[in-house]
Amino acid sequence: MSDGRALAREYLEQQRLLGGDPVVLPDGPTVLTPGASPGFTNNPSGSEVSDSPITPGSRPGSVEIADLPPLGISYDPPTGDLFTADPISKTVSLADIAALVAGCTKCRLCESRTHTVPGEGPDDARLVVVGEGPGQVEDETGRPFVGRAGELLTKILAAIQLPREQVFICNVVKCRPPENRQPQYDEIASCLPYLHRQIEILKPKVILAMGNTAAQSLLNAKQSLGSMRNHVHRFRGIPVIVTYHPAALLRNPNWKRPTWDDVRIARRLLDD
Ligand code: SF4
């Protein structure tokens, strides 16, 4: 049998990276039985807390989920027309798209931006993370997810053994909405072709949509985030997992646990 304590430690370290409470393992060997939750304490007085199952044989980064969630929304927006004059459909690289975004004035968000934030990550990224839009630090730096929410995203990715540098990270809108308000419908509609083309070029294995705006925009859906979680959706055939935005997790730490469940599903899809 595998060393249950080592597995529990690995799991707890992942929870700590996600911002969970400190946990003290009791002394002595811990025996895990298949399907059983590890017993551990979250305070020195030793009160027992059960958590999600860790089954013997788990490997780092793997996900032990009996079944993937059921299929959800499938969205297949039209691809660009070869004979159109639209420059987005003529781009062949992420750098081409970033160059177009840098000069874009298709919506009012161009008026107040400091920098455009097209997204960043390698051309061969297998996971694409999509958020809502740039915040203040992103607007100042031109980089996505670099504030406190970005630091949390980096930890979330590390917890599923994915260095941030291996992931393409971007937003639905590429310019900061003033006062961090939600992007409006027409702004999203103007900017979405850039995201669609980025995904077309990257051809990732999995997309992680973080937050309502990302999920609804990508899947052309009106459902709440809660109703879209726990399903494997599809965007042009690519699996899409919906979860909370890291900024929402900073406001409500209770959502860290369901987010952890969601990213483990994404990890499993990457591993399949
Ligand atoms: S938000 Fe998108 S569509 Fe609007 S100006 Fe910026 S890049 Fe262009």
Side-chain angles (χ1 to χ4, degrees):
M1 177 176 289
S2 312
D3 179 358
R5 285 180 63 78
L7 289 167
R9 280 190 192 288
E10 179 188 311
Y11 172 78
L12 294 172
E13 175 60 13
Q14 290 170 335
Q15 290 292 299
R16 188 189 65 75
L17 286 169
L18 281 169
D21 294 329
V23 175
V24 178
L25 282 174
D27 289 337
T30 303
V31 178
L32 291 178
T33 54
S37 298
F40 52 82
T41 60
N42 68 348
N43 62 60
S45 66
S47 62
E48 187 139 314
V49 177
S50 71
D51 217 296
S52 71
I54 298 176
T55 52
S58 298
R59 39 189 180 93
S62 74
V63 181
E64 301 296 343
I65 299 171
D67 295 306
L68 285 173
L71 293 180
I73 302 161
S74 182
Y75 179 48
D76 198 11
T79 51
D81 179 351
L82 274 180
F83 302 104
T84 180
D86 174 17
I88 298 177
S89 62
K90 303 218 179 299
T91 54
V92 294
S93 70
L94 297 173
D96 287 349
I97 299 171
L100 279 184
V101 166
C104 180
T105 55
K106 287 202 299 176
C107 82
R108 67 185 76 80
L109 295 183
C110 71
E111 295 163 10
S112 51
R113 73 185 177 213
T114 308
H115 293 102
T116 53
V117 186
E120 68 180 20
D123 291 348
D124 60 351
R126 294 163 65 237
L127 178 69
V128 169
V129 170
V130 182
E132 178 176 291
Q136 182 182 349
V137 187
E138 287 83 2
D139 179 60
E140 288 167 1
T141 60
R143 297 184 57 212
F145 283 90
V146 286
R148 283 181 64 221
E151 287 169 16
L152 182 54
L153 173 63
T154 302
K155 289 178 181 175
I156 290 169
L157 294 173
I160 54 168
Q161 322 293 316
L162 264 183
R164 180 186 166 109
E165 300 71 37
Q166 292 179 12
V167 178
F168 189 81
I169 300 171
C170 61
N171 287 301
V172 171
V173 294
K174 314 300 189 189
C175 303
R176 181 193 182 199
E179 312 301 328
N180 287 349
R181 65 161 169 76
Q182 274 196 318
Q184 294 171 2
Y185 178 79
D186 60 326
E187 295 160 354
I188 292 173
S190 298
C191 213
L192 259 184
Y194 293 120
L195 176 62
H196 289 178
R197 187 66 184 149
Q198 285 173 320
I199 293 172
E200 240 170 35
I201 288 173
L202 281 159
K203 298 184 180 59
K205 191 160 183 197
V206 180
I207 299 170
L208 185 63
M210 303 191 96
N212 236 341
T213 301
Q216 291 182 344
S217 304
L218 256 182
L219 299 169
N220 197 29
K222 294 273 181 276
Q223 281 97 325
S224 67
L225 184 139
S227 68
M228 285 192 277
R229 285 191 55 246
N230 287 320
H231 291 83
V232 178
H233 307 280
R234 300 258 165 194
F235 174 88
R236 291 198 180 128
I238 302 165
V240 177
I241 299 299
V242 172
T243 194
Y244 296 98
H245 192 285
L249 302 184
L250 293 172
R251 291 192 298 270
N252 188 344
N254 289 336
W255 289 336
K256 285 181 180 173
R257 179 54 195 269
T259 302
W260 170 237
D261 292 338
D262 297 333
V263 295
R264 287 194 305 167
I265 294 167
R267 178 73 225 193
R268 175 169 169 182
L269 288 165
L270 282 172
D271 287 338
D272 274 352

